[in-house]
Structures are given as structure tokens and as C-alpha cells.
Amino acid sequence: MIKSLFLFFLFVWMFGIQVVKAQKEHLIAVETENLGLYLHAEAQKELKQLYFGKKLRESTQLLQALELSEPAYPAFGNGLDVEQALQVVHADGNPTTRLVYQSHSVEKTENLIHTKLELKDEFYPLFVSIHYQAYSKEDVIETWVELKNGENAAIRISKLTSGYLNIQAAQYFLTHFYGSWSWEMNVVEEQLLEGTKVIDQKQITRSQRDNPAFMLSLGKSTEKAGEVIAGALAWSGSFRMAFQIDNYNKGIIAVGLNTISSEYLLDAQKTLLSPKFILTFSSHGKGEASRNLHRWARRHHLPPMPPKGLPIVLNNWEGTGMDFDEATILRIIDDAADLGTEIFVLDDGWFGRKYQRNKDDLALGDWMVNKTKLPKGLKPFITRCKQKGIKFGIWIEPEMVNSKSEFAEQHPDWIIRSKNREPLAAIGRGATQQIVDLANPKVQDFVFSVADNLLTAYPEIAYIKWDCNHYATDFGSTYLTGDRQQNLWIDYVNGYYKVMGRLREKYPHVIWQACSSGGGRLDYGALDYSHEVWTSDNTDAWSRVFIQWGSNMIYPAIVSGAHISASPNQATGNVTPIKMRMDVAMSGRLGVELQPAHMTTEEKARVKQAISDYKNILRPLVQFGDLYRMDSPYEKPYASLMYVDEQKSKAALFVYVLTYTPNDVSTGRNVPILRMEGLDPLKKYRIEELNVSEKLSSPSVGKVFSGDYLMKVGIQYSKTKLNESSIFYISEI
Ligand code: GLA
């Protein structure tokens, strides 16, 4: 007995797992290097939050002022008229819950501390586990909740948040991201006054209207200064982020599932898992908040990346649309290789049998090669790619179906459809597009098989662009019973993750791009399974400066597919020099999206050189470096940003002129000064320029300066005309 006790304690000591029973009061500290969330737990009492913010030196003092504490995860029924974290209607119809603390455990590994708190309703067998996973070096906490129904019948979840925080500041400024198809991730900052501000999405498959992420400044913040909380929900469906400010200026942040039309019926003895809420805190402005999230994503969240970084893609969509044949594609593959790109991706239009996909109103669901268009199938493309030393990738949209398809004829019951109503698909793409019912495991198998069959038939496929173009206009599942219809929104998204999880496991070498009419699946849920996203169907360079600026406030540049496309741009009609088009695409995951046959010889030569510089110089910096935003396109006539490597020995500085401003370049007066960031003040750096057009962009090119000088004085920038741009390469000597 004594021996086994000894072994138990040895195990606990060795593996750092500490289970604490609820005998007395506990101060529970969830800490990273700079951030702290402190909770007060006492047996059979409501869990309280004592403080959240900059890590405390002596947290035990919090126990002397328990009167300042607030509920850490309040449920409807606790008597308080505040934004609640949870509401459950119990099996007997009682809509109230009172959660009390039971126990907690802490598990430590090198950089990670996982704290799990066990709560229970004081009367009903409803068990709530709250998880906090703290990433010490990245200053990020992931938090999520597990809800177990121990009752003997189903309960209804009317509200479920993943993360709940009490905050306090003199003023609050909320930054959030809104948009639409072809104009994603606009950045807006607004002051929050008394009341509740809700940012949400009420359906599945797209988050272009509002992205599930935010930054909340406690008092005014800039890129470099001020306290900022940044958060993102790892969920690709309907979400709700609420920010409540009361009459004493105390704040609450509650982020989780949106249960509008989605109250979840949870069966007896079953568990519902909330999505993860990712949270960081910066005392040095928004820039640091972004870098914390980016580092966490690259090190701990995104699928493992190829060591060199993500490959350079050539996608034929904007070049050919669906109008291609074998010869056209073979020629594009030759050109793709000649330009130096590393993967050719065949986009929409390659499939369909009875209905052939030459237009966007038919054939989705029928994932067999269109033999009229491509009589020899995909094989010739794969062979040609191999000969040319590049990889082959393909576009699919397996969650979608057109009513004009063999699939729709064979499996009408596998499509989301409102009972007793005509489909509203007419307001979607092609006027016939509908969504398959991913809540149904059989449909999950089908969706899995779309990619699985392709990857089995063509094991050379190295990249899949997974699109999802229709937003839900109908609602209803033949798989779910009448009383569980509202489970659809949550079960759908979990179904999507299940399929992606299976595919990632079976094909770990394949690179996945998440696309939903462009940037509709830009969220850390999809990015658990996808290496990158298609940032926007708007590839216009000027627009992309804004779209990528917003995207990269939360999501790292490695995930931002950014392609050099044709001019005039197909979305905006803007005419843009090839240099600006290259310079903007090179600040993300570079690709090309045009018909190379339509490029001039000069354009080809320039793009070739740019691709080579990206491979040799920029890719490691952009895809793995730290981002510093300097001049915001929302505030200045030009935008500038930098990527710096971890050793602070190399950096790339991108500048884009977005509005002409009067200037006097010849006298050096009234011209922009670029003050750099993120460098080592003690190191010496040489300034070089890439993609140079006729003249250099700064008199400082070719010279050597200290990091201190570059960050305090900066360099003069000589370009001030609309759509002029530059890339500087800064390297330690
Ligand atoms: C969506 C995508 C595009 C392209 C088309 C094909 O709009 O965002 O990149 O793949 O679908 O239909």
C-alpha cells in the first residue's frame, strides 16, 4: 500500500499532473510569461474570476479582496442580470442552472500548462469542465468547455460560450473585421460605451460578413503601445461574440456558439464540446497581440508545414474559368514550370458526366472527370507536371451540390432542405446550389470519398483547394429527428471537421487550402485542418493591401494565399502595374492566377525573377517571420509592413502607395519616412531592394545602418504615385 502510494506520488511528480480536490478555497492561476487569469474556487460555491490581464507578481494578494471577484462562468439561474456564459433547459423543463466548483487538475509540460476545472449543477447531474491551456512563451490561452448531460433524458443547450472574461478599464475600443464576398476583413475600431455589442454569424459555411475574431483595447492603443486583448474562436460556423459594458464601466467578453436557430438537444449521458477560444494579451499594442497569435498558430495550431514553407501555386481559375481543354491546361503547366511556380492547381470545371460543369449552375456533386472535355482524364496533367518538376493540385467543392446533378437526383435526402418548402437556392450561386447534410454520417462518408477517391486514383495529387461557395439559405435535415433539427448547425460544422480530420490523417502529405467564396473560411477552426486559405476572390493589388492587412491582424501571413493576377483586375477593373501586383502577392503565400499565355515577355521575366527572389529570400521571412505593421492603409496614403526573422538578422519591408499625395522627392521634403521596427538596435544592416523598376525607391538602398538608426530615424521613401510599391531586403552584415 505504502509502496503504491509512493509510486503514485512519484508519477504525479514526474509527469506534473496535479489533481486538487475541493476541500478548501483555492487560488487558481492560469499564467503565461506575461499574462494571468486568476480564479477563486471553493467547494460547492460558484467559480469566481479574480483578475485577468498583465501577470501579477504576487497573486496571493487577490485572496484579500474577494469582494472584487466576478462569476467566472455564470449560468442563467445564478441570479445575476449579466451576459451569461451558459443556459440549459433541464430534462424536467427547469431553465435555470447553478454551477458549483468540484475539483480541478493542473498538467504541466515544458511550455504548456493545462488547467481543468470541474463544475456541477448544485442539484442536477449536469457536469461542466472548463479547460484553460496556457502557452507560456506565446502568451496565449486556449479555453473551451465540455458539457456532460448526466440526466436520464435529453437537455436543451440554449447558450454555450467557450470563453468568458470579466475586464476592467477606463475605456474600451473594439476592433473587429467585417466584409462581404470579394471584400473580406475590413478593419473597424469603435469605442464601446454602456450596453452590449454583439458580433455574430448566424449560419454555417461562411464568415465573410463578420470574422470570429477581435481585438479589444483597454484604453486607446496603437500598434506599439497600449493594453490589448485579442481573441479568436476556432469555429467555422455560427458564432457570437458579446461585449457588455455596464454602468460602472466594467466589461464582460463572452465568445462562443451562436444558438439562434441552433439550440442543441443533448442526449442523456452525452457530452457536447464547445469550440476553442484563443486568447492573448499584449501590453505593447496591437502589433504584439498579432505576433502572439501568429507564433501560437505557427508553432502549435496549423498543420505541420513543409520545412521550406508553403509552395508557390499557379491556379488557372482567373486565367481560364471553366473554359479549357487538355491542350490549354498542358500549356499552362509548361508556363507554370517556366515561371518557377511549384504546384499547378486545376480549378473548377473539370468534372461532370450527365451534367457537364461548363457553367456554375450544374454538376456539383458529380465528382467524375468530364470525359468530353478531358478525354484522357487528369493523368496527362499529372504526367506533364512530373516531367516539368512541379506538383499537381486540384479544386473540389464536396459540401455543395447543384439541383441539376446526378447526385441531387440520387440523394435528395442528403441535401439540407426546409421541410415542406421549396429550396431558396435561387438566391445562391448559379441559382441552383445547395448544401449537403454533413450532420449525416453517411454524407460525411460521401464527402470524405470525394477527396479519398481522387487521392486514391491519383496519389500524385499534392494539394487540394477545398471550396464551399454557398451560404445556407435552407434549413432542415432528414437525418436528424424532428426535435433535433436545431442541432444541424453545430453537427454540420463538427461533421466538416470529422471529414477533414480523417483526410488529414490518411493523407498527411497533402496541402489543403480552405476556400469559401474566397475568404469565408478564414478561422482557426478550418485552420486546424487546412494549411492556408484563399484570402479573397478579389485579387486586385490595391484591394488586397487592405484585405491582407485585416487578415494578418489575427491570422499569420503563411495562411494568406496571395496571387499575382491579370490587369485590368477581373473583380475591380483596376489597371495596376505588374510591380505592384507582384509586391502585394509577395507579402503573403505567393502564387500566380492568370493565363500565362496572355503575359508580355517583360511581365514573364519580371514574375520569374520575383518568384526566384521569393524562394531564395522572402519566403522564410514572410511565412515564418514576425510581422510588424508600420503605416496603416486606413490612416495614411501609403501602407508599410515588415517581416523579421527570429534572430533579427534578416527582414523584408513592403511599401504600397494607395493615394497620390503631393510631394517633393527632388528636395527630399514632404516625402514619406519609413521608420522600421523589430530590428536589433545593436546590429548593422544593409538595405537592398527587390523587384526594382526603373529607379531605386530610396537613397538609402545600398547603404549600411544600425538597427537603432533604422528604428529611430528611418529611411526616406521616394515613391508617392498611386500603385507604386517597393520591397526592401534588410540583412545583417
Ligand atoms: C470560388 C473560389 C474561386 C474559384 C471559384 C470556382 O469563387 O473562391 O477561387 O475557385 O469558386 O468556381
Side-chain angles (χ1 to χ4, degrees):
M1 171 69 185
I2 288 175
K3 196 172 157 202
S4 54
L5 256 180
F6 170 76
L7 282 175
F8 172 75
F9 284 116
L10 183 73
F11 178 83
V12 165
W13 177 75
M14 277 174 65
F15 294 97
I17 304 167
Q18 195 194 347
V19 182
V20 187
K21 278 268 167 286
Q23 289 138 353
K24 51 181 171 53
E25 64 170 1
H26 303 284
L27 171 70
I28 299 170
V30 178
E31 291 178 327
T32 65
E33 274 176 14
N34 300 295
L35 156 68
L37 167 67
Y38 302 91
L39 303 163
H40 180 250
E42 197 173 346
Q44 303 311 322
K45 297 260 174 65
E46 187 172 33
L47 181 72
K48 293 288 174 76
Q49 180 194 311
L50 298 167
Y51 166 79
F52 169 76
K54 213 174 188 169
K55 184 173 171 173
L56 295 178
R57 282 173 200 274
E58 276 181 60
S59 55
T60 48
Q61 293 171 65
L62 289 166
L63 294 174
Q64 295 175 42
L66 291 182
E67 67 281 3
L68 294 179
S69 67
E70 303 280 356
Y73 197 77
F76 175 76
N78 79 341
L80 293 181
D81 180 20
V82 292
E83 180 71 30
Q84 301 287 358
L86 177 75
Q87 184 170 11
V88 174
V89 182
H90 297 276
D92 64 3
N94 182 349
T96 66
T97 293
R98 288 187 193 155
L99 293 177
V100 293
Y101 166 81
Q102 304 282 292
S103 66
H104 71 277
S105 61
V106 182
E107 193 176 334
K108 289 187 190 169
T109 47
E110 206 194 327
N111 183 44
L112 206 111
I113 305 173
H114 182 183
T115 307
K116 184 177 176 192
L117 290 123
E118 304 291 359
L119 314 183
K120 184 191 163 298
D121 184 273
E122 62 181 17
F123 176 80
Y124 293 91
L126 171 75
F127 303 93
V128 177
S129 314
I130 306 181
H131 296 257
Y132 297 101
Q133 187 138 282
Y135 294 85
S136 195
K137 289 200 194 89
E138 293 78 16
D139 283 323
V140 163
I141 297 174
E142 284 173 1
T143 174
W144 71 98
V145 170
E146 253 174 299
L147 212 75
K148 180 161 185 228
N149 175 12
E151 299 182 29
N152 50 20
I155 58 173
R156 190 166 288 281
I157 319 298
S158 315
K159 183 160 195 201
L160 179 60
T161 57
S162 303
Y164 188 95
L165 283 178
N166 297 280
I167 48 175
Q168 201 157 15
Q171 287 179 314
Y172 302 92
F173 294 89
L174 177 68
T175 301
H176 55 106
F177 309 93
Y178 73 96
S180 64
W181 171 71
S182 204
W183 197 273
E184 295 86 346
M185 296 302 278
N186 290 273
V187 183
V188 63
E189 183 169 50
E190 59 189 285
Q191 184 169 8
L192 294 183
L193 300 172
E194 197 203 6
T196 303
K197 169 93 187 172
V198 173
I199 310 285
D200 74 350
Q201 189 76 42
K202 296 186 185 66
Q203 52 113 317
I204 43 170
T205 71
R206 256 202 219 180
S207 57
Q208 267 151 325
R209 177 169 55 72
D210 287 288
N211 191 271
F214 69 89
M215 286 195 182
L216 187 72
S217 302
L218 309 178
K220 273 260 176 217
S221 78
T222 63
E223 280 294 325
K224 289 201 279 192
E227 295 195 331
V228 179
I229 298 169
L233 189 71
W235 187 245
S236 315
S238 116
F239 69 87
R240 183 173 185 274
M241 307 194 293
F243 305 86
Q244 185 181 69
I245 312 297
D246 75 10
N247 53 339
Y248 291 102
N249 224 30
K250 283 197 282 189
I252 288 172
I253 303 175
V255 178
L257 294 170
N258 193 339
T259 38
I260 288 192
S261 54
S262 179
E263 292 195 356
Y264 201 88
L265 200 67
L266 183 65
D267 283 325
Q269 307 309 322
K270 292 278 184 221
T271 299
L272 182 66
L273 208 61
S274 81
K276 287 183 176 167
F277 173 55
I278 296 111
L279 175 70
T280 188
F281 180 86
S282 155
S283 316
H284 302 105
K286 297 184 181 92
E288 184 178 270
S290 298
R291 286 187 292 279
N292 289 349
L293 292 175
H294 295 171
R295 286 193 198 117
W296 162 85
R298 286 194 305 258
R299 292 177 190 165
H300 306 291
H301 189 73
L302 301 171
M305 296 290 173
K308 273 202 297 194
L310 288 174
I312 301 163
V313 165
L314 189 142
N315 179 305
N316 70 308
W317 176 247
E318 288 193 20
T320 65
M322 297 178 201
D323 185 15
F324 56 78
D325 58 14
E326 189 184 297
T328 319
I329 297 299
L330 288 176
R331 163 101 201 262
I332 294 181
I333 292 174
D334 291 348
D335 289 337
D338 186 49
L339 288 172
T341 65
E342 296 159 316
I343 290 202
F344 166 72
V345 178
L346 180 63
D347 211 282
D348 196 354
W350 59 267
F351 54 93
R353 188 170 48 191
K354 179 172 166 193
Y355 304 97
Q356 296 176 8
R357 182 74 173 173
N358 297 318
K359 269 174 71 206
D360 67 359
D361 64 349
L362 80 183
L364 286 176
D366 303 345
W367 300 104
M368 48 297 250
V369 179
N370 176 351
K371 286 292 174 80
T372 316
K373 199 174 195 170
L374 305 173
K376 290 182 242 144
L378 302 176
K379 203 71 203 165
F381 305 145
I382 290 172
T383 310
R384 183 65 65 90
C385 282
K386 218 185 248 168
Q387 284 163 354
K388 292 285 172 179
I390 65 173
K391 301 262 171 62
F392 178 76
I394 196 159
W395 175 98
I396 52 174
E397 195 180 4
E399 295 159 79
M400 300 290 140
V401 60
N402 290 117
S403 51
K404 275 193 241 166
S405 66
E406 290 180 60
F407 177 97
E409 286 162 5
Q410 285 156 15
H411 302 288
D413 53 328
W414 283 7
I415 298 172
I416 291 179
R417 178 108 193 239
S418 310
K419 205 172 173 183
N420 302 321
R421 302 188 193 286
E422 282 307 308
L424 284 170
I427 57 178
R429 187 179 180 196
T432 62
Q433 196 159 327
Q434 290 169 278
I435 304 178
V436 301
D437 178 7
L438 266 185
N440 182 343
K442 279 204 187 123
V443 181
Q444 290 169 19
D445 287 345
F446 163 77
V447 170
F448 171 83
S449 77
V450 174
D452 189 40
N453 291 345
L454 273 169
L455 289 162
T456 310
Y458 306 102
E460 298 88 348
I461 292 176
Y463 176 107
I464 292 194
K465 174 173 174 182
W466 183 289
D467 209 340
C468 178
N469 280 315
H470 190 42
Y471 50 95
T473 42
D474 292 282
F475 186 93
S477 162
T478 54
Y479 171 74
L480 297 168
T481 54
D483 54 348
R484 280 162 183 74
Q485 287 296 302
Q486 289 202 49
N487 289 10
L488 180 59
W489 269 193
I490 293 171
D491 287 354
Y492 182 96
V493 179
N494 284 327
Y496 160 60
Y497 293 151
K498 254 189 218 155
V499 172
M500 289 306 298
R502 282 167 69 190
L503 287 168
R504 284 267 311 117
E505 201 181 325
K506 187 160 175 196
Y507 302 103
H509 62 282
V510 172
I511 292 166
W512 303 87
Q513 181 184 67
C515 176
S516 174
S517 305
R521 261 191 184 156
L522 176 63
D523 61 76
Y524 277 124
L527 284 170
D528 214 350
Y529 304 95
S530 315
H531 298 75
E532 56 173 47
V533 296
W534 180 225
T535 314
S536 179
D537 275 353
N538 183 347
T539 54
D540 170 55
W542 190 92
S543 316
R544 276 298 189 107
V545 171
F546 292 86
I547 296 170
Q548 291 169 202
W549 188 272
S551 301
N552 299 146
M553 285 191 77
I554 302 292
Y555 308 96
I558 191 169
V559 310
S560 300
H563 295 182
I564 302 167
S565 61
S567 171
N569 183 267
Q570 69 154 30
T572 61
N574 282 347
V575 174
T576 312
I578 185 70
K579 176 162 167 57
M580 171 81 164
R581 286 183 272 145
M582 297 190 306
D583 287 359
V584 173
M586 288 166 90
S587 71
R589 195 281 285 128
L590 176 64
V592 177
E593 178 124 1
L594 40 68
Q595 169 53 285
H598 298 162
M599 293 169 90
T600 63
T601 317
E602 198 219 328
E603 279 178 341
K604 272 193 182 158
R606 299 205 64 167
V607 169
K608 229 168 148 165
Q609 181 60 46
I611 287 177
S612 154
D613 287 345
Y614 188 81
K615 285 180 188 164
N616 298 326
I617 303 172
L618 293 179
R619 175 155 52 190
L621 292 170
V622 172
Q623 298 196 6
F624 300 113
D626 282 326
L627 169 66
Y628 292 84
R629 289 179 295 266
M630 287 140 57
D631 298 292
S632 165
Y634 289 92
E635 291 162 8
K636 296 254 180 89
Y638 56 96
S640 73
L641 54 103
M642 284 178 75
Y643 296 98
V644 184
D645 72 353
E646 225 176 300
Q647 298 72 36
K648 295 189 182 292
S649 64
K650 293 188 178 91
L653 161 56
F654 295 81
V655 197
Y656 310 111
V657 181
L658 303 163
T659 314
Y660 165 75
T661 33
N663 61 83
D664 193 351
V665 175
S666 56
T667 60
R669 290 171 59 83
N670 194 19
V671 290
I673 301 292
L674 305 170
R675 214 166 276 145
M676 302 194 191
E677 276 182 50
L679 301 175
D680 182 338
L682 302 178
K683 285 185 175 171
K684 288 261 165 55
Y685 299 92
R686 183 187 307 284
I687 317 278
E688 286 163 81
E689 187 174 357
L690 304 178
N691 288 353
V692 181
S693 41
E694 313 85 55
K695 56 182 173 54
L696 294 173
S697 299
S698 168
S700 299
V701 173
K703 297 182 185 159
V704 171
F705 299 94
S706 67
D708 181 58
Y709 173 92
L710 291 171
M711 293 193 290
K712 286 182 181 155
V713 181
I715 63 169
Q716 192 194 87
Y717 188 56
S718 320
K719 295 194 168 167
T720 54
K721 291 205 180 101
L722 171 66
N723 284 337
E724 285 191 315
S725 58
S726 310
I727 304 178
F728 297 99
Y729 174 52
I730 296 116
S731 57
E732 185 186 353
I733 55 156

